[in-house]
Amino acid sequence: MPIMKLRILTFLILLTTALTMKGADATDDALTRLDESLSHKTEYENKKRGEIDQLRQRLQLAETDSTRYNLCAELHRQYSSYQYDSAYVYADRCIALADKSGNSDLMVESRCFRVFCLLSAGLYKEAFDEYEAIDPSHASSHYKYIYYSTGARLCYDAGDYNHALPYQRRYIDRGGQMTDSLMQYLGADDPLRDYHEGLRLMKEYKGEESEPIMIRFLKRNQTDPHLNAIIASCLGWLSMERDENKAIEYLTQAAIIDNETVTKETTALCLIGTLLYKWGDTERAIRYVQMALDDANFYDARHRLIQVGQILPIIEHDRYEMLRSQRNLLIIAGIISLLFVLALAAGIVFFRRQNRKLAEARQQLEDSNALLSEANHIKDEYIGKSFYFNSEYIKHVEKLYKTVERKIVARQYDDLRNMLRESTIDSERENMFSAFDETFLSLFPDFIERFNALFPEKDRKQPATATSLTPEMRIFALIRLGVTDSERIANFLNYSVHTINTYKTRVKNKSDVPNDEFENYIMKI
């Protein structure tokens, strides 16, 4: 009987191992497919621009308002998840043509176009104002479906953005009411019923009920890849807590569709980057998050920029901590190496007279090697946890270790001492500040202008370059990103807390606004 139990246990272990390896292989395959798709990103974008150019040419030649409306509507759809400004322009043109025609269906559809533009850009108040102004009472069934599905999307997105209770619950409940209303305009076998029902259950935090419905939709829907991407992204989000490999597979499916359809208003790549960072695949994580940030900038999706932008100070802080840790490890390694040299020299000098001290020197050598091994382990841990992995710097450290060892063997102690006095941390810190400034200004391009507007003409300052900030501006840039604690700001900028407070007081005293209101003005930028 014990042998049988042992065999069963062994079988279960082997089965679990096989399933884990299978899941890892599937994840690697999914990421490989995503990388292959992303390598053709420019080709997909060029193809989309070509299609848009053709539609524009046809619009210029259109002879009737009906044809013009259809072409403007198609151009809006091309831009709707690609570029906010252009999508809004063609939505407005559709509204003008619909009002001119007096067609109730087109008036509902065109205004829903505008609502979609606003909600995709994160302008929820404006979207609700526009939505409330729509009158669907005279529209036909299909356009009433468009009206209610747009309303459901607006409420659910607003609920995702606003996590405060009870307001989030109100958005979710209202989205459910909109979903109930739109269902009456769909056929019993319409796959869109699964789409809307699956989203409703997910928004109501009923993931186990939502998942099979969403999977069924993916199997049935063969006509709208964009909806497939939305559902795949939702399934990936639902799987993140339970099965990260499965989440990666769904999210890569969504990201591939988004890439091939040139969809810029998306979250899949950012979620994949977050998971890969957690796994330690920093090279891919950095690349995917940067692409997500570029897409959000291109579309001008304000809420997406906030989501990605919130982690930027953390990323830069992690990078600084990694560099500081590497410097500390280098100093520790140098000290240990120097102690080793001294111990070895003492052992040689007193070898014949003090055999006991030679044994102690050997023990000290073993202890030094153990410390070196531990230092290397700590270095690996920091590298694995750091989001922005600086591979060139690590190569530099490895090369320096080899040089130290070579010079110890060659007994070039003066060269070793001079070499250990060199440090690149100041340069790295400047590079970190430069990267922070450039990234911050890409998110807040008018920050310098609006910051200077708070001061008299004589006290306004301009940074050295168009992509840099002054130290004072950098302090208030961190405050604008939500880092308000003076100690955290001081750690990030390598200043004392007293220096930070002095800078803040000096800047506020020079401004045209009251001191206690100054940071409120900064937050409004």
Side-chain angles (χ1 to χ4, degrees):
M1 191 66 179
I3 295 176
M4 180 61 68
K5 290 183 178 179
L6 180 60
R7 289 177 178 175
I8 293 174
L9 179 60
T10 303
F11 172 75
L12 290 175
I13 293 173
L14 292 173
L15 179 60
T16 302
T17 303
L19 290 174
T20 302
M21 294 178 63
K22 182 179 180 181
D25 290 342
T27 301
D28 290 340
D29 290 342
L31 292 172
T32 300
R33 291 195 304 272
L34 176 58
D35 286 335
E36 172 63 21
S37 176
L38 292 174
S39 69
H40 298 286
K41 187 179 184 71
T42 302
E43 299 172 24
Y44 295 131
E45 292 189 356
N46 290 338
K47 180 182 177 182
K48 187 177 186 72
R49 292 192 189 99
E51 293 171 353
I52 289 173
D53 289 341
Q54 290 180 5
L55 288 171
R56 283 175 172 170
Q57 293 172 8
R58 290 172 59 190
L59 180 59
Q60 291 176 354
L61 300 175
E63 297 180 354
T64 67
D65 285 344
S66 175
T67 303
R68 292 188 189 96
Y69 180 88
N70 291 333
L71 289 170
C72 285
E74 182 58 30
L75 280 164
H76 164 79
R77 295 185 188 99
Q78 290 283 344
Y79 279 116
S80 60
S81 294
Y82 176 57
Q83 193 171 45
Y84 162 75
D85 291 339
S86 297
Y88 194 91
V89 167
Y90 286 105
D92 273 357
R93 293 186 67 175
C94 285
I95 290 173
L97 290 167
D99 289 346
K100 182 178 179 182
S101 70
N103 186 310
S104 298
D105 289 343
L106 300 186
M107 291 169 70
V108 169
E109 180 183 55
S110 59
R111 281 165 173 77
C112 285
F113 287 164
R114 179 186 283 172
V115 172
F116 183 85
C117 291
L118 293 170
L119 72 90
S120 297
L123 302 173
Y124 293 112
K125 180 186 181 303
E126 293 78 2
F128 276 109
D129 290 343
E130 291 289 339
Y131 187 76
E132 296 297 337
I134 301 174
D135 178 14
S137 59
H138 301 293
S140 59
S141 296
H142 174 69
Y143 293 92
K144 286 182 178 178
Y145 162 76
I146 292 175
Y147 171 78
Y148 287 114
S149 63
T150 302
R153 169 71 184 270
L154 173 58
C155 291
Y156 287 142
D157 280 17
D160 289 340
Y161 181 75
N162 186 343
H163 294 285
L165 295 175
Y167 307 105
Q168 184 187 45
R169 185 70 253 177
R170 292 176 187 172
Y171 286 126
I172 293 173
D173 291 343
R174 189 176 177 188
Q177 294 168 6
M178 295 287 184
T179 301
D180 287 337
S181 297
L182 68 87
M183 287 294 190
Q184 61 184 307
Y185 302 109
L186 293 174
D189 295 328
D190 195 323
L192 289 174
R193 298 184 72 88
D194 287 341
Y195 172 79
H196 291 291
E197 184 63 23
L199 283 180
R200 170 165 53 188
L201 291 170
M202 184 189 75
K203 299 300 181 181
E204 293 176 353
Y205 300 100
K206 299 176 182 178
E208 292 184 0
E209 298 177 41
S210 172
E211 186 171 356
I213 297 175
M214 289 184 173
I215 293 173
R216 185 171 65 202
F217 173 80
L218 288 179
K219 293 178 179 178
R220 296 180 65 194
N221 179 46
Q222 303 297 324
T223 58
D224 193 333
H226 182 59
L227 293 184
N228 284 344
I230 293 173
I231 292 299
S233 184
C234 291
L235 286 167
W237 182 81
L238 288 172
S239 302
M240 286 182 70
E241 295 297 327
R242 295 181 285 106
D243 187 342
E244 292 182 349
N245 286 319
K246 189 176 181 181
I248 286 289
E249 292 181 39
Y250 279 124
L251 290 171
T252 52
Q253 180 181 347
I256 289 171
I257 296 174
D258 288 335
N259 184 55
E260 294 178 356
T261 57
V262 197
T263 299
K264 300 291 187 179
E265 205 286 301
T266 179
T267 60
L269 266 183
C270 189
L271 291 174
I272 295 171
T274 302
L275 281 176
L276 293 180
Y277 169 54
K278 180 180 178 182
W279 292 357
D281 189 351
T282 53
E283 188 276 328
R284 270 196 178 117
I286 292 169
R287 181 154 46 89
Y288 291 165
V289 171
Q290 185 60 53
M291 285 183 179
L293 180 61
D294 292 342
D295 286 346
N297 272 313
F298 184 88
Y299 184 83
D300 196 18
R302 294 157 180 80
H303 55 315
R304 302 291 182 228
L305 284 171
I306 292 172
Q307 289 174 352
V308 180
Q310 285 176 337
I311 68 172
L312 291 177
I314 298 173
I315 293 171
E316 294 300 334
H317 182 264
D318 284 349
R319 181 172 180 267
Y320 170 72
E321 288 296 325
M322 184 270 292
L323 294 174
R324 187 172 67 175
S325 299
Q326 295 305 316
R327 183 194 182 194
N328 292 340
L329 288 172
L330 179 62
I331 293 172
I332 292 171
I335 293 173
I336 292 173
S337 300
L338 184 60
L339 291 174
F340 165 73
V341 171
L342 294 175
L344 183 61
I348 294 174
V349 171
F350 298 103
F351 174 77
R352 293 184 179 179
R353 295 185 301 170
Q354 302 182 20
N355 191 48
R356 183 178 58 84
K357 288 187 177 182
L358 176 60
E360 293 177 354
R362 287 175 179 172
Q363 184 61 44
Q364 187 175 11
L365 174 60
E366 293 177 1
D367 293 341
S368 298
N369 286 334
L371 288 172
L372 281 171
S373 176
E374 182 180 4
N376 281 330
H377 175 70
I378 295 172
K379 177 193 70 175
D380 291 339
E381 286 295 317
Y382 271 107
I383 292 172
K385 294 177 181 177
S386 174
F387 195 83
Y388 267 106
F389 178 79
N390 192 328
S391 60
E392 292 298 325
Y393 191 83
I394 297 301
K395 292 179 182 178
H396 171 72
V397 172
E398 292 176 349
K399 181 179 179 181
L400 189 57
Y401 272 124
K402 294 179 182 179
T403 304
V404 168
E405 182 180 1
R406 187 168 59 251
K407 290 187 177 295
I408 289 174
V409 173
R411 300 187 180 182
Q412 297 174 345
Y413 307 130
D414 291 336
D415 288 350
L416 178 60
R417 185 181 300 105
N418 292 332
M419 182 182 66
L420 291 176
R421 289 173 181 169
E422 298 177 1
S423 173
T424 61
I425 192 65
D426 292 335
S427 174
E428 292 295 336
R429 184 181 296 110
E430 289 301 319
N431 290 338
M432 181 187 73
F433 289 160
S434 177
F436 172 80
D437 293 351
E438 184 175 351
T439 303
F440 179 82
L441 289 175
S442 72
L443 294 173
F444 300 91
D446 60 346
F447 180 82
I448 296 174
E449 178 183 352
R450 294 185 62 179
F451 182 86
N452 277 328
L454 302 176
F455 300 90
E457 185 71 31
K458 62 184 181 65
D459 291 321
R460 296 176 182 176
K461 296 182 179 181
Q462 292 296 329
T465 67
T467 59
S468 65
L469 299 169
T470 66
E472 295 92 341
M473 290 178 182
R474 196 172 292 130
I475 291 171
F476 288 97
L478 286 167
I479 291 174
R480 177 61 186 85
L481 291 174
V483 184
T484 57
D485 183 67
S486 295
E487 185 175 352
R488 292 181 63 193
I489 296 174
N491 289 336
F492 181 76
L493 298 179
N494 200 34
Y495 292 153
S496 68
V497 175
H498 175 73
T499 300
I500 295 299
N501 291 330
T502 300
Y503 270 127
K504 289 167 67 176
T505 302
R506 184 188 306 161
V507 169
K508 291 178 181 179
N509 288 339
K510 291 182 179 180
S511 70
D512 287 332
V513 300
N515 286 12
D516 56 350
E517 292 292 323
F518 186 82
E519 292 187 12
N520 291 335
Y521 279 85
I522 292 295
M523 296 305 294
K524 293 178 182 178
I525 296 178

